[in-house]
């Protein structure tokens, strides 16, 4: 994992001493970048206590990159917040810590202590309880503790049906709940940021990006990402039709299961027991993008928590999930 | 495949995808015109659906679909559970797809009459509108409405997609009749291009592929047109430079920059800018980005400007081309689309947000309403949800703006309700009613503080609000007596001396109540200017009107006294016999009965008259004045 440290520190250097970049961004990415920067500056200017959610995934890391650009030469004028479920891939924790240290940004890591003391375990307690306690409850605890009035999230409208109708500035009541029937109309680039005490706004600067845009931007901007996105031989077991990586010794083996080495990568990152891998030969960013352009399944297909029923994401969002 | 080949193939495919930039468009049509089917078809034919999404779609089509065994593309789009069950789309949804020439962002906006606001929302960021017409039905009232709104929101390129051609036997004459009808509707509006295409969304005819059944049509397919259409025809780069300052960038004492997005025009390093409000000018010494300094910033770019000298600039200022500055004014005319259930009343105070500028504002007059079906002007006193009117507005602070027809980003605004914080209106500025440079507030030698000093007091408005019969006038009268007995200079305003004179022309509708309080507030402000302590006793049921009066005077000069009594007690007291009449149906719009009273949330003084005598209440008011140092 020393290569993470090297990559990240080379990356951080460019924000200390920018060089006139001769790389020209594609026109549509320039438009998307400028729009995201505009949104972030509005939040910094109009809210008292903004925070940026950081999940360590590719979208989050693109969002963090845009924040570094938006306020340059200042540092982003808000902290970053990671809700640690205690079941992240180990590589993710290393990446998060190295990146925060190299960029000199404030990274708050929150764990739901009740869940920690009860040893919530997705293998034995099930994905629903684990996600509810360690992600949703953990997030609400951290947002309340920080009294944050605005929270950036990396959600994209192309991800899932219920997101397609969500505003860029999405109002939440004092219980952090979303009411899809009562959204503020959002016109031009004028955002209504008015809230009362205890209410908050979730802000989605990547609303108009697609998964291909994200990868293309990572490629063109040379943004470091967690190496789990790239194909490598890793120990996995096939469970209920999904490839699960054996990331540590907390994973109980079922009868007859023997971890085997397969060349895999991840299209989305989260808790390792709940994140399915895909077999892939894509070892470089270019390979990934090529795979992307010919992909046959959507990225959420690797996310086990969405499988209950089609409306499940909307339900989770009403309850405060990002 | 060797690494070099992968890299080349990827770069080729991606670069092509980027060349045309982004085209943002909206689709609008009446219920059942096949809008959702069209967008579903665009996504499907652009090969952007994944296998798992197609599987879900097939499953949903069997469960909820209306197309039998075939795929119902509309189900791809109806995002929220409730909508899916009702089979209607109720909000704006954004969809994305790419071809190898362009990225597309589609706002899917519903066709129901009550959802004009959603269509306007989708249209506000769109460059092109696809107006769907059902070939069987032709140009309908809704078609006119959608065309009107698209035009009003500044969309300059329209596509008339005549859908369901398969159901009219792919008839050439039907198509031409519809196109000719449509041109009569749209030709006098502001569109730069109108392109008509016969399609069948369900079968994909003339969407991506040409159709054998429509051989007589030799124009572009819908996709060919969307890929090629040049919507940047009025080159935004040639417009005068505009840069609303979003955020002052101050990492340390050696750097002070102004961050924002160029909304129009271009600016080279070394170029001269003017601060629209103050008129001060400076040269731009650096154009900073995280990728290094730029030699020039152009419309659409988010940058940070450093100036060659220190001038006072904050968020809300606009840096502009000195040769072609925007209007700076506090009065202007605008088209307003009302977006909330509660009616718009002239005189009521809202927050106006235009770019990064925010200020209290009110609609002074509604000049006329616009009928979106007939395009005709109609008289009116207030605006309901989804109604459009031409209004004059007055703002508390000067704002800088352009005309919406010239510059969308700096010619638009929203109105926000001060209490619910809802976005209640979208506005498009037509023209300024007076220029700031023509306004000179004559500095009088004898001013408010001098007049007040002569009287040995600080001026203030004592605003008594509460239900009829709560005891407002009784307490106000006692307070004034006590003040006068102390040698203070006062005046009192109440229903008796205002309703019979100044406001004799007003009734008791919500709109008239708003205007009533606006005038009273103005008069009270003049008395404050004269150095007096003014007692005002009015039911004043609406928070926003009381807030409006509060904001007309300086901080500390407005003292809100909530005279609070339960309505049962007021009805029992009924000093003027009004409750009895109201209950007998002889008076309508009576506060507390059939008209609402909004109690103050944070009054300076809250008096519960059920628990104390009028004299005790008056003493409490005097104590409050002493505590606030108003009596010298």
């Amino acid at each position: 994992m020393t290569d993470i440290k090297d990559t990240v520190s080379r990356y951080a250097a460019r924000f200390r001493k920018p060089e006139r970049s001769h790389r020209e961004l594609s026109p549509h990415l320039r438009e998307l970048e400028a729009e995201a920067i505009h949104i972030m500056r509005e939040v910094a200017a109009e809210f008292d206590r903004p925070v940026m959610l950081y999940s360590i995934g590719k979208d989050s890391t693109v969002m963090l990159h845009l924040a570094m650009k938006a306020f340059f030469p200042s540092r982003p004028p808000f902290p970053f917040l990671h809700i640690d479920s205690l079941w992240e891939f180990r590589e993710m924790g290393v990446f998060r810590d190295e990146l925060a240290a190299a960029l000199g940004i404030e990274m708050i890591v929150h764990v739901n202590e009740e869940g920690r003391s009860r040893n919530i375990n997705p293998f034995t307690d099930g994905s629903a309880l684990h996600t509810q306690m360690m992600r949703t409850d953990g997030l609400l605890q951290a947002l309340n503790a920080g009294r944050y009035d605005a929270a950036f999230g990396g959600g994209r409208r192309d991800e899932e049906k219920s997101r397609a109708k969500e505003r860029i500035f999405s109002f939440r009541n004092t219980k952090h709940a979303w009411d899809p029937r009562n959204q503020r109309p959002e016109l031009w680039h004028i955002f209504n940021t008015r809230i009362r005490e205890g209410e908050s706004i979730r802000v989605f600067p990547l609303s108009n990006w697609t998964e291909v845009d994200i990868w293309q931007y990572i490629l063109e901007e040379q943004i470091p990402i967690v190496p789990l996105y790239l194909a490598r031989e890793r120990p996995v077991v096939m469970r209920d039709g999904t490839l699960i990586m054996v990331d540590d010794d907390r994973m109980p083996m079922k009868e007859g299961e023997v971890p085997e080495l397969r060349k895999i990568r991840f299209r989305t990152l989260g808790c390792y027991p709940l994140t399915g891998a895909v077999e892939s030969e894509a070892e470089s960013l270019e390979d990934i993008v090529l795979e992307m352009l010919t992909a046959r399944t959507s990225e959420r297909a690797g996310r086990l928590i969405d499988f209950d029923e089609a409306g499940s994401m909307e339900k989770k969002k009403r309850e405060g999930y990002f | 495949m060797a690494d070099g080949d992968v890299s080349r193939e990827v770069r080729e495919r991606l670069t092509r995808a980027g060349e045309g930039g982004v085209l943002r468009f909206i689709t609008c049509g009446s219920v059942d015109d096949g809008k959702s089917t069209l967008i579903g078809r665009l996504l499907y034919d652009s090969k952007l659906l994944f296998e798992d999404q197609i599987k879900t779609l097939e499953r949903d089509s069997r469960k909820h679909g209306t197309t039998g065994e075939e795929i119902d593309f509309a189900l791809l789009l109806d995002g929220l559970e409730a909508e899916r069950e009702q089979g209607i789309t109720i909000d704006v949804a954004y969809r994305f797809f790419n071809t190898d020439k362009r990225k597309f962002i589609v706002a899917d906006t519903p066709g129901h009459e009550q959802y004009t606001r959603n269509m306007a929302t989708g249209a506000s960021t769109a460059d092109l509108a696809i107006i769907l017409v059902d070939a069987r039905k032709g140009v309908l009232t809704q078609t006119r409405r959608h065309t009107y709104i698209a035009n009003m929101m500044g969309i300059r390129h329209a596509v008339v997609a005549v859908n369901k051609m398969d159901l009219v036997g792919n008839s050439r004459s039907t198509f031409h009749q519809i196109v000719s009808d449509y041109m009569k509707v749209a030709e006098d509006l502001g569109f730069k291009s109108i392109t008509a295409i016969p399609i069948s969304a369900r079968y994909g005819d003339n969407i991506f592929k040409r159709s054998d059944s429509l051989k007589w049509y030799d124009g572009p397919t819908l996709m060919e047109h969307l890929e090629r259409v040049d919507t940047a025809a009025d080159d935004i780069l040639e417009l005068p430079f505009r840069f609303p300052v979003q955020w002052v960038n101050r990492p340390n004492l050696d750097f002070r920059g102004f961050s924002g997005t160029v909304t129009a025009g271009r600016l080279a390093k070394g170029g001269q800018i003017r601060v629209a409000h103050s008129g001060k000018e400076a040269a731009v010494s650096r154009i900073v980005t995280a990728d290094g300094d730029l030699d020039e910033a152009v419309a659409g770019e988010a940058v940070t400007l450093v100036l060659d000298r220190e001038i006072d600039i904050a968020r809300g200022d606009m840096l502009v081309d000195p040769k072609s500055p925007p209007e700076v004014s506090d009065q202007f005319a605008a088209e307003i689309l009302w977006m909330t259930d509660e009616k718009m009343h002239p005189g009521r105070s809202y927050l106006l947000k235009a770019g990064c500028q925010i200020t209290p504002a009110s609609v002074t007059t509604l000049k006329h309403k616009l009928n979106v079906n007939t395009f005709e002007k109609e008289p009116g006193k207030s605006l309901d949800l989804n109604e459009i009117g031409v209004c004059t507005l007055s703002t508390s602070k000067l704002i800088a703006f352009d005309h919406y027809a010239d510059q969308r980003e700096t010619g638009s605004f929203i109105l926000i309700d001060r209490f619910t914080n809802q976005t209640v209106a979208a506005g498009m500025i037509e023209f300024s009613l007076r220029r700031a440079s023509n306004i000179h507030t004559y500095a009088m030698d004898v001013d408010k503080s001098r007049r007040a000093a002569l009287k040995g007091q600080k001026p203030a408005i004592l605003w008594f609000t509460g239900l009829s019969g709560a005891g407002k006038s009784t307490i106000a009268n006692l307070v004034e007596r006590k003040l006068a007995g102390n040698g203070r200079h006062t005046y009192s305003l109440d229903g008796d001396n205002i309703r019979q004179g100044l406001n004799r022309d007003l009734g008791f509708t919500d709109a008239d109540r708003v205007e009533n309080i606006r005038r009273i507030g103005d008069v009270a402000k003049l008395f404050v200017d004269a150095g007096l302590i003014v007692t005002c006793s009015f039911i004043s049921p609406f928070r926003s009107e009381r807030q409006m009066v509060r904001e007309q005077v300086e901080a500390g000069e407005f003292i809100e006294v909530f005279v609070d009594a339960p309505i049962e007690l007021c009805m029992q007291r009924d000093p003027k016999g009004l409750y009895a009449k109201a209950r007998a149906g002889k008076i309508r719009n009576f506060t507390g009965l059939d008209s609402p009273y909004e109690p103050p949330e944070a009054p300076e003084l809250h008096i519960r008259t059920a628990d104390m005598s009028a004299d005790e209440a008056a003493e409490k008011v005097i104590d409050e004045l002493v505590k606030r140092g108003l009596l010298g």
Side-chain angles (χ1 to χ4, degrees):
Chain A
M1 302 204 181
T2 49
D3 51 339
I4 292 183
K5 194 181 174 90
D6 292 346
T7 315
V8 161
S9 71
R10 269 199 310 279
Y11 168 69
R14 69 201 246 194
F15 294 108
R16 286 192 294 276
K17 190 174 174 298
E19 285 167 24
R20 181 83 167 97
S21 161
H22 297 290
R23 256 179 305 107
E24 279 287 314
L25 260 185
S26 300
H28 73 289
L29 293 179
R30 255 184 280 157
E31 283 189 57
L32 293 172
E33 180 187 77
E35 181 184 69
I37 287 176
H38 174 83
I39 291 163
M40 290 182 183
R41 288 169 172 172
E42 283 299 287
V43 171
E46 295 228 331
F47 288 90
D48 293 330
R49 298 178 66 81
V51 67
M52 183 171 280
L53 275 290
Y54 183 64
S55 73
I56 320 179
K58 62 182 196 313
D59 305 82
S60 260
T61 305
V62 162
M63 187 164 69
L64 189 157
H65 177 81
L66 289 163
M68 291 300 293
K69 284 189 145 188
F71 303 100
F72 180 86
S74 296
R75 293 256 179 281
F78 41 74
F80 294 77
L81 172 64
H82 178 231
I83 307 302
D84 194 330
S85 76
L86 300 176
W87 287 86
E88 323 284 356
F89 292 93
R90 281 171 303 161
E91 226 175 50
M92 292 171 69
V94 174
F95 184 86
R96 173 194 69 201
D97 296 342
E98 293 293 348
L99 189 64
L103 294 175
I105 54 174
E106 185 189 350
M107 179 71 68
I108 299 167
V109 177
H110 178 86
V111 175
N112 180 352
E113 290 303 331
E114 192 197 342
R116 192 206 298 265
S117 66
R118 285 170 54 181
N119 262 321
I120 294 294
N121 180 329
F123 289 115
T124 52
D125 298 315
S127 71
L129 178 69
H130 168 75
T131 305
Q132 175 68 35
M133 281 205 80
M134 300 313 285
R135 294 268 189 233
T136 308
D137 294 354
L139 173 65
L140 299 187
Q141 287 166 0
L143 292 178
N144 287 333
R147 291 186 292 112
Y148 300 115
D149 51 5
F152 291 102
R156 308 188 317 264
R157 285 170 174 159
D158 78 326
E159 267 180 274
E160 204 268 338
K161 280 185 191 176
S162 77
R163 287 217 199 273
K165 301 192 175 187
E166 187 156 5
R167 308 293 187 249
I168 294 174
F169 281 59
S170 183
F171 176 80
R172 300 298 152 106
N173 65 18
T174 52
K175 303 274 185 292
H176 301 281
W178 180 58
D179 179 1
R181 299 237 163 219
N182 189 24
Q183 299 198 76
R184 297 173 177 178
E186 203 161 76
L187 295 106
W188 301 289
H189 294 98
I190 308 176
F191 300 107
N192 178 352
T193 57
R194 306 275 301 179
I195 50 168
R196 298 189 197 209
E197 183 77 28
E199 297 170 341
S200 62
I201 306 255
R202 301 270 172 97
V203 185
F204 300 100
L206 305 181
S207 286
N208 291 328
W209 296 53
T210 61
E211 191 181 10
V212 176
D213 295 331
I214 293 283
W215 281 116
Q216 186 172 357
Y217 188 71
I218 289 171
L219 184 66
E220 294 190 23
E221 284 287 289
Q222 295 170 25
I223 301 168
I225 48 168
V226 180
L228 288 162
Y229 283 112
L230 304 177
R232 229 178 253 173
E233 289 210 325
R234 297 183 172 99
V236 290
V237 295
M238 178 67 84
R239 195 173 274 186
D240 303 329
T242 305
L243 281 173
I244 301 292
M245 177 174 156
V246 184
D247 193 53
D248 59 34
D249 55 15
R250 290 182 293 174
M251 180 163 170
M253 290 297 137
K254 290 184 181 166
E255 206 170 303
E257 273 181 352
V258 181
E260 55 176 324
L261 281 181
R262 287 210 207 173
K263 197 160 186 184
I264 55 150
R265 66 180 205 88
F266 294 88
R267 290 177 63 186
T268 166
L269 292 180
C271 303
Y272 85 80
L274 302 177
T275 309
V278 290
E279 289 196 88
S280 165
E281 294 294 323
E283 294 179 17
S284 68
L285 277 177
E286 279 91 347
D287 292 337
I288 291 179
V289 175
L290 190 61
E291 199 180 276
M292 196 61 237
L293 293 170
T294 49
R296 304 297 304 155
T297 55
S298 71
E299 61 187 320
R300 295 200 83 88
R303 247 178 240 195
L304 302 186
I305 54 169
D306 283 353
F307 275 2
D308 324 345
E309 53 186 299
S312 71
M313 181 57 78
E314 185 189 336
K315 277 197 190 116
K316 288 194 186 70
K317 279 154 61 77
R318 288 191 205 215
E319 290 158 8
Y321 184 82
F322 239 86
Chain B
M1 199 184 288
D3 274 3
D5 294 343
V6 173
S7 171
R8 196 167 53 245
E9 179 175 355
V10 164
R11 274 171 212 285
E12 266 174 21
R13 291 178 75 151
L14 289 177
T15 318
R16 275 187 287 158
E19 267 166 15
V22 182
L23 178 72
R24 296 177 191 242
F25 67 91
I26 60 166
T27 50
C28 24
S30 317
V31 187
D32 301 329
D33 279 345
K35 252 187 352 281
S36 297
T37 308
L38 173 65
I39 299 173
R41 172 59 77 176
L42 287 170
L43 298 179
Y44 188 79
D45 283 358
S46 62
K47 310 271 187 296
L48 284 180
L49 293 184
F50 299 114
E51 271 170 6
D52 54 317
Q53 288 175 320
I54 293 173
K55 262 185 220 145
T56 310
L57 180 62
E58 284 167 351
R59 199 183 59 212
D60 286 359
S61 296
R62 282 193 297 275
K63 196 164 151 197
H64 304 286
T66 55
T67 50
E69 284 302 300
E70 289 170 50
I71 292 181
D72 185 352
F73 292 109
L75 291 177
L76 266 180
L77 307 178
D78 297 341
L80 306 181
E81 277 181 77
E83 294 173 38
R84 217 178 301 171
E85 278 149 27
Q86 291 167 19
I88 52 160
T89 312
I90 58 158
D91 207 308
V92 191
Y94 295 89
R95 306 291 162 186
F96 309 85
F97 64 96
N98 299 62
T99 66
D100 59 5
K101 304 219 170 46
R102 247 186 182 165
K103 174 185 170 86
F104 299 92
I105 301 181
V106 194
D108 180 16
T109 62
H112 302 270
E113 179 161 20
Q114 60 270 42
Y115 296 120
T116 300
R117 67 171 202 169
N118 294 333
M119 191 193 145
T121 302
S124 73
T125 52
D127 302 311
L128 178 145
I130 296 182
I131 314 265
L132 271 158
V133 179
D134 186 328
R136 295 169 304 172
K137 298 179 189 156
V139 174
L140 301 175
T141 303
Q142 289 97 316
T143 317
R144 298 173 69 90
R145 179 187 313 134
H146 297 144
T147 303
Y148 186 89
I149 295 167
N151 178 62
M152 175 182 86
M153 297 306 292
I155 292 179
R156 292 291 160 257
H157 300 272
V159 173
V160 189
V162 180
N163 192 22
K164 308 195 184 180
M165 286 302 292
D166 52 304
L167 297 181
V168 294
N170 296 306
S171 156
R172 182 179 191 159
S173 60
T174 306
F175 174 71
H176 285 299
Q177 185 57 49
I178 290 172
V179 173
S180 140
D181 291 348
Y182 186 79
M183 294 313 279
K184 279 180 213 135
V185 170
E187 63 192 351
D188 292 336
L189 301 175
F191 294 109
K192 291 216 164 76
S193 80
I194 300 175
T195 306
I197 306 174
I199 63 167
S200 164
R202 187 160 167 197
Y203 299 106
D205 294 347
N206 280 343
I207 310 292
F208 272 76
K209 60 171 183 9
R210 293 194 165 274
S211 158
D212 287 341
S213 9
L214 294 162
K215 277 205 176 104
W216 49 264
Y217 172 76
D218 56 4
T221 63
L222 181 60
M223 242 6 265
E224 284 168 356
H225 180 66
L226 294 179
E227 282 180 338
R228 281 188 225 148
V229 61
D230 181 11
T231 53
D234 0 70
D235 206 350
I236 194 164
L237 302 183
E238 305 312 317
L239 293 170
F241 178 74
R242 297 287 184 264
F243 184 84
V245 174
Q246 279 188 286
W247 190 71
V248 178
N249 197 332
R250 192 110 220 243
N252 54 56
L253 292 175
D254 302 326
F255 186 94
R256 182 179 165 82
F258 305 99
S259 299
T261 302
V262 182
T263 60
R266 51 172 76 220
L267 176 77
K269 182 180 165 183
Q272 197 76 6
I273 57 93
R274 172 189 290 183
V275 183
H277 279 84
S278 66
K280 295 212 169 78
E281 296 191 12
V284 172
S285 56
R286 290 180 63 192
I287 301 170
V288 177
T289 78
D291 295 317
D293 283 13
L294 303 179
D295 297 326
E296 186 186 45
V298 302
E301 289 186 321
V303 296
T304 296
L305 302 179
V306 179
L307 304 180
D308 68 342
R309 74 202 68 168
E310 284 260 331
I311 50 178
D312 198 20
I313 296 172
R315 175 176 167 85
D317 275 321
M318 199 192 287
L319 309 186
V320 303
D321 179 354
K323 288 194 220 67
S324 189
E327 303 273 5
V328 177
S329 176
D330 56 1
Q331 281 194 30
F332 52 84
E335 269 184 321
I336 283 192
L337 164 62
W338 200 249
M339 305 181 108
T340 193
D341 290 325
E342 201 182 332
K343 279 176 197 280
M344 181 279 278
H345 293 302
R348 177 166 284 188
S349 176
Y350 300 95
L351 284 177
L352 179 145
K353 191 169 187 193
C356 305
Q357 308 173 86
I358 191 153
T359 169
S362 58
V363 175
T364 39
T365 47
L366 171 59
K367 295 207 284 191
H368 52 81
K369 295 207 246 188
L370 291 165
N371 184 322
V372 293
N373 299 327
T374 61
F375 303 180
E376 274 167 8
K377 295 175 182 174
E378 290 172 357
K381 276 200 155 184
S382 60
L383 290 179
D384 276 321
L385 174 64
N386 289 316
E387 286 192 325
I388 297 162
V390 173
C391 304
T392 56
L393 283 99
S394 142
T395 54
S396 296
K397 285 189 275 183
L398 292 169
I399 64 162
F401 57 84
D402 290 289
H403 303 181
Y404 188 76
D406 302 335
Q407 298 214 15
R408 258 181 175 188
E409 292 290 331
T410 47
S412 51
F413 63 87
I414 58 171
L415 295 180
I416 301 170
D417 184 283
R418 322 181 55 134
F419 290 94
T420 64
N421 288 331
Q422 279 296 327
T423 301
V424 295
M428 287 131 298
I429 300 177
E430 291 192 330
F431 51 84
S432 172
L433 290 172
R434 66 175 180 205
R435 278 157 212 259
S437 49
N438 299 339
I439 309 164
H440 297 284
T441 310
Y442 194 77
M444 300 283 188
D445 290 336
V446 180
D447 62 7
K448 178 166 73 179
S449 57
R450 178 141 167 80
R451 292 186 201 105
L454 283 171
K455 300 182 176 69
Q457 64 188 36
K458 285 188 187 158
I461 297 175
L462 286 172
W463 190 275
F464 296 85
T465 172
L467 295 173
S468 177
K472 298 180 299 295
S473 299
T474 314
I475 297 169
N477 182 38
L478 282 169
V479 168
E480 197 179 11
R481 254 166 54 191
K482 284 173 196 280
L483 287 172
N486 245 317
R488 305 299 172 181
H489 300 256
T490 61
Y491 192 76
S492 90
L493 296 172
D494 60 31
D496 291 340
N497 60 13
I498 291 291
R499 281 273 181 196
Q500 286 154 25
L502 179 64
N503 288 357
R504 148 171 86 186
D505 57 327
L506 298 178
F508 289 89
T509 62
D510 282 357
D512 281 355
R513 282 172 187 269
V514 170
E515 175 62 12
N516 180 43
I517 298 299
R518 190 194 67 77
R519 291 187 198 170
I520 291 161
D522 235 34
V523 172
K525 184 187 168 191
L526 291 176
F527 282 122
V528 164
D529 212 43
L532 301 180
I533 297 172
V534 198
T535 63
C536 301
S537 321
F538 298 95
I539 297 173
S540 47
F542 303 125
R543 286 189 196 113
S544 46
E545 276 71 67
R546 299 192 299 262
Q547 182 68 21
M548 174 174 75
V549 179
R550 183 186 286 273
E551 275 163 17
Q552 284 185 359
V553 292
E554 287 171 37
E557 287 180 350
F558 184 87
I559 296 163
E560 188 171 23
V561 183
F562 179 24
V563 184
D564 187 5
I567 188 154
E568 297 75 23
L569 183 61
C570 297
M571 287 164 80
Q572 202 183 315
R573 287 179 185 158
D574 204 8
K576 298 176 191 163
L578 295 174
Y579 283 98
K581 280 189 195 164
R583 291 170 82 186
K586 290 180 190 152
I587 307 177
R588 286 174 52 205
N589 296 325
F590 196 78
T591 302
L593 295 181
D594 56 349
S595 182
Y597 178 77
E598 300 171 357
E601 290 184 327
E604 273 73 9
L605 203 57
H606 187 160
I607 292 175
R608 293 183 173 80
T609 60
D611 310 331
M612 66 176 83
S613 70
D615 198 64
E616 284 170 325
E619 277 304 323
K620 265 189 91 171
V621 177
I622 301 288
D623 289 349
E624 185 68 23
L625 295 183
V626 172
K627 204 173 87 194
R628 290 175 176 269
L630 292 177
L631 303 182

